């Protein structure tokens, strides 16, 4: 059975005050939901330990980026092992901001995915096309290639630690969202790519990300291949994040 996940990526936002006010509220409200959603908070790395402590094991915690290396002279980097040691369950890998602003390549993403999985983290692999690529009719080709290259180091029973987040670049932080039908079509295509690679595709959770809000989440999460969401801006409000968690349909 696929996990239903709603993960909040705080990006480089937040403060100790936000950690202290938001985590407890999300924790108690998510605990009262009966839809089986797994809530994940992905704060800036400096706040991970505080979020882990306040989450009390009832909300999962993630890190926004990990290094390509295990340890050594890489000033400013944080390894997957350190994230796991600090209580993280998830690592975001290949977010479009890392690809666009820091030049991260599919090859680096593949290495990071390998590091995350080997350290016992779940890897949330972010993929998505630009507006230019969509308008040129190349969205599925681009996303499929990103998926294939990003999972190059995944093997055997590691697939159960893999989550893929489809985030069209043009929808991130812009207020524009893919229609539920377009998002579903891309999720189905991603599942087909994973299946063709020999992965247990029906067991891999696929998330949609890109301007998900309380008022559009239900339509997206109702799609058969969309198993939850990766949420940016709306995850900085406890009320909005919990509303999105609530929008995950219960299992019959
Ligand atoms: C993101 O950063 O992954 C994201 C989806 O952001 P937003 O929800 O703000 O578009």
């Amino acid at each position: 059975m696929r996990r239903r996940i709603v993960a909040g990526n705080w990006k480089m936002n937040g403060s100790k005050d936000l950690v202290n006010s938001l985590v407890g509220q999300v924790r108690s409200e998510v605990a009262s939901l009966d839809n089986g959603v797994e809530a994940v908070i992905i704060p800036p790395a400096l706040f991970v330990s505080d979020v882990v402590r306040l989450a009390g094991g009832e909300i999962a915690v993630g890190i926004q980026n990990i290094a390509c290396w295990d340890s050594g002279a890489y000033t400013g980097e944080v390894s997957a092992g350190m994230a796991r040691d600090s209580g993280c369950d998830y690592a975001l890998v290949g977010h479009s901001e890392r690809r666009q602003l820091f030049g991260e390549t599919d090859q680096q993403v593949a290495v990071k995915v390998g590091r995350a999985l080997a350290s016992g983290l779940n890897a949330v692999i972010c993929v998505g096309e630009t507006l230019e690529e969509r308008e040129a009719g190349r969205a599925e080709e681009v996303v499929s290639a990103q998926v294939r290259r990003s999972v190059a180091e995944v093997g055997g029973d590691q697939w159960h630690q893999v989550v893929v987040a489809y985030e069209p670049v043009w929808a991130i932080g812009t207020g524009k969202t893919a229609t539920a039908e377009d998002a579903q079509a891309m999720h189905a295509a991603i599942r087909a790519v994973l299946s063709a690679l020999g992965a247990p595709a029906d067991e891999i959770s696929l998330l949609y990300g890109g301007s998900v809000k309380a008022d559009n989440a239900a339509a997206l999460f109702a799609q058969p291949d969309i198993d939850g969401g990766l949420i940016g801006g709306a995850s900085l409000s406890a009320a909005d994040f919990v509303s999105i968690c609530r929008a995950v349909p219960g299992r019959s």
Side-chain angles (χ1 to χ4, degrees):
M1 195 158 66
R2 300 202 288 267
R3 285 172 288 172
R4 297 292 210 147
I5 300 167
V6 173
N9 171 19
W10 287 16
K11 313 192 188 197
M12 201 175 74
N13 295 302
S15 60
K16 283 249 189 189
D17 280 350
L18 185 73
V19 169
N20 288 329
S21 62
L22 183 144
V23 180
Q25 197 182 334
V26 170
R27 177 181 168 176
S28 63
E29 294 198 32
V30 165
S32 70
L33 299 180
D34 60 2
N35 58 1
V37 65
E38 180 173 352
V40 186
I41 292 181
I42 311 178
L46 272 179
F47 300 142
V48 158
S49 296
D50 292 310
V51 175
V52 167
R53 178 174 46 79
L54 293 166
E58 292 182 44
I59 304 171
V61 183
I63 190 153
Q64 296 176 11
N65 177 43
I66 51 167
C68 288
W69 311 277
D70 282 335
S71 64
Y74 302 104
T75 301
E77 294 284 285
V78 173
S79 73
M82 291 168 187
R84 185 75 186 126
D85 205 19
S86 298
C88 284
D89 307 289
Y90 285 85
L92 277 190
V93 187
H95 191 279
S96 64
E97 286 153 16
R98 298 228 43 100
R99 293 177 188 264
Q100 293 202 314
L101 303 174
F102 302 98
E104 204 161 285
T105 64
D106 286 336
Q107 286 68 27
Q108 287 170 317
V109 171
V111 171
K112 292 182 179 197
V113 170
R115 297 280 182 223
L117 303 185
S119 298
L121 294 166
N122 298 291
V124 180
I125 305 169
C126 303
V127 294
E129 81 286 358
T130 62
L131 187 58
E132 200 182 17
E133 289 162 341
R134 174 154 286 264
E135 286 176 347
R138 297 183 53 230
E140 195 176 312
E141 170 204 333
V142 167
V143 169
S144 299
Q146 285 176 338
V147 172
R148 272 194 292 273
R149 294 193 204 111
S150 301
V151 299
E153 298 199 8
V154 182
D157 58 3
Q158 290 183 321
W159 284 109
H160 70 270
Q161 293 166 255
V162 170
V163 174
V164 178
Y166 167 57
E167 299 201 300
V169 177
W170 48 269
I172 296 180
T174 58
K176 294 181 189 153
T177 321
T179 63
E181 294 70 28
D182 283 350
Q184 162 57 25
M186 188 63 87
H187 282 70
I190 292 170
R191 210 177 288 291
V193 170
L194 292 169
S195 180
L197 291 171
D202 284 338
E203 293 163 32
I204 295 176
S205 298
L206 305 183
L207 312 183
Y208 173 79
S211 297
V212 177
K213 307 279 183 245
D215 60 2
N216 59 21
L220 289 158
F221 298 168
Q223 301 301 313
D225 285 293
I226 301 181
D227 304 307
L230 180 56
I231 319 301
S235 69
L236 294 164
S237 150
D240 290 348
F241 187 61
V242 170
S243 295
I244 294 169
C245 289
R246 192 173 289 122
V248 168
R251 292 185 194 280
S252 47

